Amino acid sequence: MERGQDIALGLLFAGLGLGAAWQAASYSGAGGSYPMVLGLFLTLCGSLVILRAARARADVARRLVDVPGNMTKALAASIAYVALVVPLGFYTASALLMLCLPLLLGFRRPLYTLVVGASFIVLVWLVFSVVLEKPLPAELWSVSRFGGD
């Protein structure tokens, strides 16, 4: 039962990834490179799920979610994040998510959380602003957001 579900889920992810990569290939210029990479990464992840399920020896039932409360907290944090990106800006909303989500899930190592959160923000900035040169939603505190340069 579980093996069949895992294979079906892997096929779904691999198919979605291939579809996204195929669609991104039709974008002009470099605009499709990031979605194509994401689509191919999703295809790879789906393929790994299929391989793992195919290699599994036993078809053992398992719980879908080990800690339903944590899943609910993560879902609520994700919804709040999406709602806050436009009013606060991408980096501010992302930093808040990176700081609050570990606390919501019970992680109690503040220094580690700060380092991982800051590293994530720097990595996202490097990828979008430096490598891809793609604008993200302006920050709440940004001067350009208020009509200045």
Side-chain angles (χ1 to χ4, degrees):
M1 176 81 167
E2 297 295 324
R3 265 177 76 181
Q5 291 172 349
D6 287 349
I7 290 172
L9 183 65
L11 285 170
L12 176 70
F13 282 140
L16 284 172
L18 283 175
W22 181 271
Q23 180 66 34
S26 68
Y27 295 167
S28 63
S33 58
Y34 185 69
M36 182 180 290
V37 168
L38 287 179
L40 293 174
F41 182 71
L42 186 59
T43 302
L44 174 67
C45 289
S47 300
L48 291 174
V49 169
I50 294 167
L51 269 170
R52 182 176 176 209
R55 294 181 65 196
R57 295 177 191 229
D59 197 13
V60 180
R62 61 183 185 271
R63 292 180 64 178
L64 182 59
V65 177
D66 289 332
V67 185
N70 281 354
M71 186 188 80
T72 304
K73 291 175 190 175
L75 182 61
S78 299
I79 291 169
Y81 169 71
V82 170
L84 291 173
V85 166
V86 172
L88 295 182
F90 181 82
Y91 296 112
T92 303
S94 297
L96 283 173
L97 179 71
M98 293 300 293
L99 295 174
C100 294
L101 189 58
L103 291 173
L104 286 172
L105 299 178
F107 191 73
R108 301 289 183 253
R109 294 180 60 192
L111 181 60
Y112 183 79
T113 300
L114 285 171
V115 168
V116 169
S119 300
F120 172 76
I121 297 300
V122 168
L123 178 67
V124 168
W125 176 78
L126 285 171
V127 168
F128 283 100
S129 297
V130 176
V131 175
L132 297 175
E133 297 177 353
K134 297 292 178 190
L136 294 171
E139 297 301 307
L140 175 65
W141 42 268
S142 172
V143 174
S144 63
R145 190 171 190 160
F146 297 107
D149 286 332

